[in-house]
Amino acid sequence: AQTVTQSQPEMSVQEAETVTLSCTYDTSESDYYLFWYKQPPSRQMILVIRQEAYKQQNATENRFSVNFQKAAKSFSLKISDSQLGDAAMYFCAYRSVGANSKLTFGKGITLSVRP
Amino acid sequence: DAGITQSPRYKITETGRQVTLMCHQTWSHSYMFWYRQDLGHGLRLIYYSAAADITDKGEVPDGYVVSRSKTENFPLTLESATRSQTSVYFCASSDTSSYNSPLHFGNGTRLTVT
């Protein structure tokens, strides 16, 4: 079974600075997808960024980028120019492919942004 | 309005009672999921469904029952609620055009079992 590990329960960053959130996963599959979701206090789940395992190029969405290391099974999220609105819980997730495709989440990390 | 709707938003029930959480989506997505969110555990998959009349267990299925008679609905039933089932429950859906497609989440149901 696939597992997703987010070892840091909490992190803090100064506004306008850069922060990196770590995520590792375990799988025997070669084809899969990885996601980062944001959950603000409203409880809404918001997709931040996604990465296909077969693509070597790291995904980027505005201030958000990932460092995808397939051999190391690592998928970290970098937030540049942090803003107060980035304060939230962030979840790393893995999705298998095939008939039983499902999304497996890590435990999440709470990010606070200091003004 | 298109989207995924969960009801109720909040529910308080007593130990031993049966309770059903509703989930309805308007996109005709094939896949639907039920997760529970607990502090320190993240989101854990309870059940999922790849299509109507097809359901499968996730990581924590004990004490829960699901059905999927119609593509758009995926109710979750707690047959005899226990305090350990106090949690926030999320329903989600995705289509099958690509596994890269994100899950679309409902706003969650906060369930308290007293």
Side-chain angles (χ1 to χ4, degrees), chain A residues 1-47:
Chain A
Q2 294 84 13
T3 58
V4 179
T5 302
Q6 294 180 255
S7 56
Q8 308 152 302
E10 297 178 351
M11 287 196 74
S12 180
V13 63
Q14 190 75 35
E15 194 176 6
E17 297 295 310
T18 296
V19 64
T20 298
L21 311 183
S22 301
C23 173
T24 60
Y25 57 94
D26 186 26
T27 183
S28 58
E29 304 295 324
S30 60
D31 192 18
Y32 50 86
Y33 296 88
L34 298 166
F35 303 82
W36 277 97
Y37 279 86
K38 170 185 178 181
Q39 187 182 45
S42 67
R43 224 162 65 190
Q44 185 182 8
M45 293 290 288
I46 303 166
L47 177 68

Side-chain angles (χ1 to χ4, degrees), chain A residues 33 35 37 39 42-43 45 47 50 52 89 91 95-107, chain B residues 9-10 31 33 35 37 40-43 45 48 56 88 90 94 99-103 105 107-110:
Chain A
Y33 296 88
F35 303 82
Y37 279 86
Q39 187 182 45
S42 67
R43 224 162 65 190
M45 293 290 288
L47 177 68
R50 51 188 152 178
E52 295 93 337
M89 180 164 279
F91 292 96
R95 185 168 190 179
S96 55
V97 302
N100 293 320
S101 175
K102 56 193 178 197
L103 198 65
T104 301
F105 286 87
K107 292 183 178 180
Chain B
R9 184 108 165 115
Y10 299 92
Y31 279 94
F33 306 83
Y35 289 89
Q37 182 177 12
H41 291 279
L43 278 80
L45 183 63
Y48 64 106
D56 211 343
V88 178
F90 285 97
S94 74
Y99 296 109
N100 193 29
S101 298
L103 265 62
F105 284 85
N107 288 327
T109 294
R110 182 177 293 278

